[in-house]
Each structure stands twice: as C-alpha cells, then as structure tokens.
Amino acid sequence: MEVQITNENFETLKNGELPLVVDFWATWCGPCRMIAPIIEELANEYDGKIVVGKCDVEENDDIVSEFGIRNIPTVLFFKGGQVVDKTVGAVTKAKFVEKFNALL
C-alpha cells in the first residue's frame, strides 16, 4: 500500500525501521502517470518489507528542496534514513524490482 508523503510525515517515515521508496510526482506529469501503476503494484508486493510513498512536488516544497528534485518522476530509495539509490524518468518494472530488492 502506498502512503502519501508530506512535509509533516517524511522524517518519521525516512527514519523508520523499514526501507523507504519515495516517488516524486505531479498530476500534470505524463511520465509520472506511466510509472504510477508500477509503483502501486510494487507497493503491494513489498508491503511489510518496504514503505512506498508518493510525494506531490507541488505540495511539499521542503522535501523537494532538501533533495534537489528538478526532474520528475524521480524515485529515491532510502535505507537507514539515507538515500542509497535513485531513478530519474520513467523506467521499467524490472529496473524498479532490481532496486527494491537491493534495499532488502
């Protein structure tokens, strides 16, 4: 299940026990809509192992600024509160699966 990432809950999720994957997106972004079903599917497949969240770049300036998000979709992979990997642009499900598995 995906969670909505906000300026208010981000630090708690980032520093939680489970790894965190954050999809930075916007409603007007075509490539974001292309990867959305993949991210949602992986959120369900990895439920209980990885927290998967979506962060609307237009509503969460603090997080966007903190990580210098300039292009979307950008997906950041956190482990132990630190960014350990990222993707920019639309990538395949196989590439996401590879990166999700690397977090475990």
Side-chain angles (χ1 to χ4, degrees):
M1 178 178 104
E2 292 174 314
V3 296
Q4 293 304 315
I5 303 289
T6 64
N7 291 327
E8 291 74 34
N9 71 3
F10 175 68
E11 286 298 320
T12 302
L13 292 169
K14 180 181 83 163
N15 294 310
E17 290 184 23
L18 297 177
L20 174 66
V21 175
V22 181
D23 174 16
F24 290 88
W25 69 287
T27 55
W28 47 262
C29 170
C32 298
R33 288 193 304 270
M34 287 173 50
I35 70 164
I38 297 169
I39 297 292
E40 184 177 355
E41 191 176 321
L42 291 172
N44 292 327
E45 288 177 22
Y46 287 84
D47 191 35
K49 299 178 196 163
I50 297 174
V51 175
V52 179
K54 299 191 63 85
C55 182
D56 187 328
V57 297
E58 297 196 329
E59 295 177 5
N60 300 286
D61 291 340
D62 294 351
I63 304 168
V64 171
S65 296
E66 181 179 348
F67 294 98
I69 304 299
R70 301 205 189 303
N71 300 304
I72 53 174
T74 292
V75 179
L76 297 182
F77 299 81
F78 294 87
K79 190 167 191 173
Q82 301 296 314
V83 175
V84 295
D85 204 350
K86 82 177 198 176
T87 64
V88 178
V91 300
T92 64
K93 180 178 180 184
K95 183 54 107 177
F96 278 124
V97 167
E98 178 183 310
K99 292 181 178 287
F100 272 62
N101 287 335
L103 282 177
L104 299 176

